[in-house]
């Protein structure tokens, strides 16, 4: 296996500075807000693995169904004219779904390099080990950092056709306007006939959706609260976790499933030399997990300059992987 690791953040102090600034900016807004991209430290990564294993969290299983049972459909779109290409995965995580596609593509004899991009170097290391044992001889280049910076880096090192994967309904963790900006930016970074394969969680029975994010064991609650713990650990924060409670809601009209942490009393919390006031019942808005209709997906592609090639769904029709051409 050929391996190269590019690290955007050689300077870890920079990461720390960004984190502190984002936390202070967010907690000084009204309503207070923390960015869910910060959920994923080592403990957050582990908690997200636990979420994916929960019976209520159907999202991963549905997309896995597509990657296991409709691999040929996915591959046909990606192979296109049969020319060599780079398969770039944004937010690759442990790549458990793409593994099926990678194996399939390798069997066809396709010439490609797999380039997973993830903000978590820890996750990329785990992924590297896994790929080494599952797919020897896979050509791989690990890219640690922000999606578009790394996508530009990928374009500098290779001029081959690109197929970009953005799976797991990660796009759902953006506000709708941000998701549209993201698609616009993605289109700008692609050449004509490059491909984007994006995973969308579909609108469905509101109870099914709410249960997936409001689990009885409180794993999702711990996942949210871990960000306060992370602030304590890394930014010298003084959050008392017993004084905050997770609250989740789902609006079937807009398709927004949102998580909050509610302050259980009037309190002042120090973060290093800074101090933040919370009123009783005041919330910190933590994350949106947006759900989409097929029309929403179509609009998003066309309004950002893509052509919608195909939408591949799981057997329950709860999740869709949309394949767009630039
Ligand atoms: C990573 N992302 C797509 C998950 C989701 O479904 O929005 C994150 C998550 N948050 C709570 N549970 C899962």
């Amino acid at each position: 296996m050929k391996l190269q690791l590019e690290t955007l953040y050689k300077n870890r102090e920079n990461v720390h500075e960004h984190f502190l600034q984002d936390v202070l900016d967010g907690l000084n807004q009204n309503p207070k807000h923390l960015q869910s991209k910060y959920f994923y430290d080592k403990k957050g990564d582990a908690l997200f693995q636990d979420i994916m294993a929960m019976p209520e969290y159907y999202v991963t299983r549905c997309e896995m169904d597509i990657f296991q049972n409709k691999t040929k459909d996915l591959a046909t779109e990606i192979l296109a004219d049969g020319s060599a290409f780079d398969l770039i995965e944004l937010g690759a995580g442990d790549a458990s779904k793409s593994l099926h596609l990678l194996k399939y593509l390798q069997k066809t004899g396709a010439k490609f390099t797999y380039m997973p991009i993830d903000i978590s170097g820890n996750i990329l290391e785990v992924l590297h080990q896994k790929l080494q044992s599952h797919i020897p001889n896979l050509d791989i280049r690990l890219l640690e950092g922000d999606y578009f910076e790394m996508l530009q880096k990928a374009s500098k090192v290779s001029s081959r056709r690109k197929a970009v994967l953005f799976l797991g309904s990660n796009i759902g963790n953006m506000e709708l306007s941000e998701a549209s900006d993201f698609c616009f930016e993605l289109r700008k970074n692609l050449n004509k006939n490059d491909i984007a394969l994006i995973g969308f969680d579909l609108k469905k029975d509101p109870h099914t959706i709410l249960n997936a994010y409001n689990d009885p064991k409180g794993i999702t609650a711990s996942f949210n609260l871990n960000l306060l713990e992370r602030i304590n650990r890394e930014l010298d924060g003084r959050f008392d976790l017993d004084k905050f409670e997770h609250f989740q809601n789902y609006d079937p009209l807009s398709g927004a499933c949102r998580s909050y942490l509610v302050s259980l009393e009037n309190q002042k919390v120090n973060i290093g030399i800074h101090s933040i006031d919370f009123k009783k019942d005041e919330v910190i808005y933590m994350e949106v997990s947006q759900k989409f209709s097929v029309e929403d997906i179509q609009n998003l592609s066309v309004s950002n300059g893509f052509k919608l090639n195909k939408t591949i769904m799981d057997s329950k029709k709860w999740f869709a992987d949309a394949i767009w051409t630039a």
Side-chain angles (χ1 to χ4, degrees):
M1 174 186 290
K2 282 189 242 155
L3 169 77
Q4 298 174 57
L5 174 64
E6 312 282 348
T7 304
L8 175 67
Y9 294 127
K10 294 242 161 53
N11 183 352
R12 293 276 153 194
E13 263 174 33
N14 239 343
V15 179
H16 181 272
E17 270 308 301
H18 269 110
F19 181 30
L20 176 63
Q21 204 48 56
D22 283 345
V23 166
L24 293 175
D25 286 352
L27 293 180
N28 282 308
Q29 278 170 25
N30 186 15
K32 291 182 167 57
H33 175 46
L34 287 171
Q35 297 180 36
S36 61
K37 69 174 182 182
Y38 291 117
F39 282 1
Y40 303 91
D41 65 347
K42 207 166 185 164
K43 186 171 172 195
D45 286 342
L47 282 165
F48 187 53
Q49 294 292 327
D50 294 344
I51 287 177
M52 290 193 289
M54 296 183 331
E56 298 84 4
Y57 193 74
Y58 60 84
V59 182
T60 313
R61 278 189 306 279
C62 287
E63 196 174 33
M64 187 63 100
D65 177 12
I66 298 174
F67 273 74
Q68 267 176 338
N69 300 315
K70 299 191 174 157
T71 333
K72 191 176 172 200
D73 294 354
L74 296 169
T76 306
E77 297 298 321
I78 289 170
L79 289 168
D81 60 3
S83 57
F85 62 96
D86 293 323
L87 186 68
I88 302 174
E89 181 163 5
L90 309 181
D94 69 354
S96 51
K97 287 162 273 184
S98 25
L99 196 65
H100 296 280
L101 179 65
L102 292 169
K103 279 187 183 163
Y104 187 96
L105 289 170
Q106 214 189 30
K107 264 200 220 140
T108 67
K111 251 184 106 51
F112 70 99
T113 300
Y114 177 56
M115 299 187 181
I117 301 179
D118 206 290
I119 193 84
S120 164
N122 169 43
I123 280 280
L124 282 175
E125 276 310 316
V126 175
L127 173 60
H128 173 215
Q129 306 284 334
K130 186 172 167 178
L131 289 172
Q132 248 178 342
S133 65
H134 283 80
I135 322 182
N137 302 323
L138 178 71
D139 199 4
I140 174 167
R141 179 186 282 261
L142 303 178
L143 299 169
E144 179 188 353
D146 279 344
Y147 296 158
F148 290 113
E149 274 164 289
M150 286 296 122
L151 199 53
Q152 278 155 20
K153 190 157 206 159
S155 295
K156 278 192 195 127
V157 295
S158 159
S159 58
R160 298 202 291 196
R161 186 167 69 81
K162 288 190 195 58
V164 177
L165 310 183
F166 191 43
L167 307 181
S169 200
N170 279 318
I171 196 163
N173 296 135
M174 300 173 192
E175 302 299 332
L176 281 173
S177 63
E178 287 170 356
S180 183
D181 292 349
F182 171 86
C183 293
F184 183 77
E185 192 64 22
L186 180 59
R187 174 64 191 85
K188 252 183 31 194
N189 279 279
L190 298 180
N191 294 315
K192 198 166 166 41
N193 294 327
D194 283 349
I195 282 173
L197 192 163
I198 307 186
F200 292 92
D201 192 17
L202 297 173
K203 287 175 177 163
K204 59 184 72 62
D205 178 351
H207 296 105
T208 305
I209 292 174
L210 191 56
N211 289 342
Y213 293 87
N214 206 21
D215 61 287
K217 285 195 180 149
I219 299 174
T220 312
S222 305
F223 184 55
N224 279 266
L225 286 163
N226 177 56
L227 181 43
L228 302 190
E229 250 182 282
R230 182 177 183 186
I231 295 170
N232 287 351
R233 276 193 298 269
E234 295 182 22
L235 303 179
D236 191 24
R238 295 283 187 272
F239 280 103
D240 179 344
L241 269 55
D242 292 334
K243 294 184 181 165
F244 288 87
E245 194 174 70
H246 170 239
F247 173 76
Q248 191 81 34
N249 81 348
Y250 174 63
D251 172 9
L253 294 182
S254 67
C257 187
R258 294 185 194 274
S259 69
Y260 303 87
L261 289 177
V262 186
S263 173
L264 297 178
E265 56 186 64
N266 290 328
Q267 52 181 317
K268 196 182 267 304
V269 177
N270 291 327
I271 300 173
I273 56 164
H274 309 273
S275 154
I276 312 281
D277 288 316
F278 291 85
K279 293 198 182 68
K280 182 179 180 319
D281 299 329
E282 186 178 358
V283 299
I284 314 173
Y285 165 41
M286 303 296 284
E287 183 182 49
V288 62
S289 297
Q290 181 69 39
K291 310 304 166 194
F292 297 83
S293 66
V294 172
E295 297 74 51
D296 294 334
I297 298 171
Q298 201 151 10
N299 292 338
L300 202 54
S301 69
V302 175
S303 62
N304 289 296
F306 284 98
K307 199 179 102 211
L308 177 59
N309 271 16
K310 211 174 195 176
T311 304
I312 301 174
M313 291 189 199
D314 65 302
S315 55
K316 288 187 173 136
K317 303 208 179 327
W318 282 6
F319 196 95
D321 278 304
I323 298 167
W324 301 349
T325 307

